[in-house]
Amino acid sequence: MVQQVTPETTIEVIYPESDGQPMADNTEQFAWIVKIKENLEILFASQSDVFIAGDLFWYPVKGSPNIKQAPDTMVIFGRPKGKRGSYLQWDEDNIPPQVVFEILSPGNTLKEMTKKLQFYQRYGVEEYYIYDPAKNDLNGLLGSGDSFEVIEEMNGWVSPRLGIRFTLTPDTLEIVSPTGQKFLSPVEIDQLREQERQAKEAALQELEKERDRYQELLAKLKEKGIDTDNL
């Protein structure tokens, strides 16, 4: 009697795209996440190989769905822009996020933030920035081998990867792009565009007035018999 061998069943590993938790605990935290993420999108809009995401699960190890983090904002150089349900590192040329931002809220615990730090350190993050809007406190760490080194002075610090400069004023954090453009909220960006539109419209109206005055002057000169074609 020939014994039949049953082929092994491959179990599909599921990598959840959501944990059911809110993106932010309060409006200020959410506003900062949006500001940093969207201004980085604007900064690197012309570079097709820079992927930026907010609150997206990052899975660094294939077959281990429990090993994951969802940074408030992460930047990956060397990966194309595009839609993703999660960042599966083994499907992304095994490139980890190089830069990560976390915005603190009162609900963040020391245990939670320690676990995040250990995770980012273990899986290859080069720059890790943590901002607490309530305390207006900014901290940064740089990857160095298998560990992080604390950036001693964050006021005026320029990110090696992003080229952005951090400035702590008495009231808030200001971030400025390499071109000198300050990171703005969506409302501030819209207001700036409206101001530029109004300024352009005013300049065009003034140009129209100048042209009308010029035409009036030519007409008066012609009335006096002056040959305006040879002026």
Side-chain angles (χ1 to χ4, degrees):
M1 180 177 178
V2 178
Q3 183 178 3
Q4 293 184 340
V5 178
T6 304
E8 293 184 4
T9 302
T10 301
I11 300 175
E12 182 183 2
V13 179
I14 304 299
Y15 301 91
E17 297 178 0
S18 172
D19 58 3
Q21 298 298 313
M23 178 178 176
D25 292 338
N26 56 57
T27 56
E28 188 172 27
Q29 184 190 26
F30 181 80
W32 272 102
I33 294 171
V34 171
K35 177 187 284 191
I36 291 174
K37 190 263 183 186
E38 292 304 313
N39 279 271
L40 287 174
E41 292 274 20
I42 293 170
L43 178 60
F44 292 102
S46 63
Q47 294 182 228
S48 61
D49 63 343
V50 180
F51 175 63
I52 300 166
D55 196 42
L56 185 74
F57 270 140
W58 161 28
Y59 292 93
V61 182
K62 187 174 183 179
S64 300
N66 292 326
I67 300 177
K68 64 182 184 298
Q69 281 293 342
D72 287 336
T73 299
M74 61 181 179
V75 184
I76 303 98
F77 291 85
R79 296 310 301 152
K81 302 182 189 301
K83 296 179 180 179
R84 292 168 174 79
S86 57
Y87 190 79
L88 307 177
Q89 187 172 314
W90 55 93
D91 286 339
E92 306 281 357
D93 286 348
N94 206 35
I95 298 176
Q98 292 97 348
V99 185
V100 163
F101 290 83
E102 292 286 355
I103 307 300
L104 298 185
S105 73
N108 291 124
T109 64
L110 178 60
K111 179 180 179 181
E112 174 190 1
M113 298 312 297
T114 300
K115 288 176 67 175
K116 285 187 176 183
L117 187 150
Q118 291 172 339
F119 182 96
Y120 297 146
Q121 180 176 281
R122 179 174 184 179
Y123 292 108
V125 170
E126 297 176 13
E127 301 178 37
Y128 178 25
Y129 299 106
I130 310 149
Y131 181 56
D132 184 344
K135 298 179 180 178
N136 190 28
D137 183 49
L138 175 67
N139 288 281
L141 301 103
L142 289 181
S144 178
D146 296 329
S147 62
F148 274 135
E149 289 186 1
V150 175
I151 301 169
E152 295 297 338
E153 181 54 68
M154 282 303 303
N155 193 16
W157 173 261
V158 176
S159 161
R161 272 285 190 176
L162 306 177
I164 60 177
R165 176 168 48 84
F166 301 93
T167 300
L168 283 165
T169 72
D171 301 316
T172 190
L173 168 65
E174 292 184 353
I175 305 175
V176 180
S177 74
T179 61
Q181 177 62 53
K182 181 181 173 182
F183 276 29
L184 303 173
S185 69
V187 172
E188 290 171 328
I189 291 173
D190 184 67
Q191 291 172 340
L192 182 61
R193 287 173 178 167
E194 178 60 20
Q195 290 172 4
E196 291 174 347
R197 185 193 67 78
Q198 291 178 358
K200 183 178 180 180
E201 186 176 288
L204 288 173
Q205 289 176 351
E206 185 61 32
L207 185 61
E208 287 286 340
K209 290 178 182 178
E210 286 293 332
R211 187 171 65 180
D212 291 342
R213 285 195 288 265
Y214 178 69
Q215 293 298 330
E216 289 175 5
L217 176 61
L218 289 180
K220 289 179 180 179
L221 291 174
K222 286 181 179 180
E223 288 176 0
K224 294 181 179 180
I226 300 175
D227 183 6
T228 58
D229 292 335
N230 294 319
L231 289 178

